[in-house]
Amino acid sequence: MKAELKSLDLSSSTAFEDYRPENALNFGIYVTATIGPLCETCGDLFQILVCSRIWFNHRTADGLLLDCRRFEFDGPYSYSTVVQKIKDFVADCEGGSWDELAKQLSIKTHWEFESYRM
C-alpha cells in the first residue's frame, strides 16, 4: 500500500499557495495535509511544521519548541519546493496497511489519530 498527498491547507483564511512569509529565510508555519491511500478519495489529517533551519534552531534553543518533527529548509521559502518535498516524502512511504503508512508519515508529521488507543 502506498500513500498520496490529497491537499495542503493553512489554518487561516489565506490559501497555502498564496502564503508569503515576512522573512523568506526565517519562517515557520503549520500546514494541514490530507493524506490517504493511493488512488482513493479518502484521507486522514496530518499537521506539518514547515520551517527554516534558522527559525527552528531559535525556537529549540529558547525551549519554545520541543517536538522535532518537521520539514526544514535551508534556502528561501518557496511554495513549490515545500509542496514537492512533502509529496516526495509521502510517496516514499509504503506499508501493508494504512496504520503502518500513518506511522511512517508520523516520523515528520502529527497524525490526527496518533494518540488513539484501540
Side-chain angles (χ1 to χ4, degrees), residues 91-117:
D92 286 344
C93 294
E94 192 169 345
S97 69
W98 177 247
D99 283 344
E100 287 179 22
L101 277 172
K103 287 177 186 170
Q104 288 179 37
L105 293 164
S106 291
I107 292 168
K108 290 189 173 235
T109 71
H110 295 272
W111 181 33
E112 67 178 317
F113 298 115
E114 71 184 50
S115 64
Y116 284 30
R117 299 280 182 227

Side-chain angles (χ1 to χ4, degrees), residues 45-56:
L45 301 179
F46 294 81
Q47 288 294 120
I48 302 172
L49 173 58
V50 174
C51 64
S52 65
R53 183 177 307 253
I54 295 167
W55 186 93
F56 182 79

Side-chain angles (χ1 to χ4, degrees), residues 26-74:
N26 186 1
F27 64 90
I29 57 167
Y30 279 96
V31 297
T32 301
T34 302
I35 302 170
L38 186 64
C39 298
E40 292 187 23
T41 57
C42 62
D44 291 351
L45 301 179
F46 294 81
Q47 288 294 120
I48 302 172
L49 173 58
V50 174
C51 64
S52 65
R53 183 177 307 253
I54 295 167
W55 186 93
F56 182 79
N57 289 343
H58 173 74
R59 274 142 189 91
T60 54
D62 289 347
L64 299 173
L65 192 63
L66 303 177
D67 194 325
C68 294
R69 293 182 278 186
R70 68 197 181 281
F71 284 86
E72 187 177 290
F73 297 86
D74 285 326

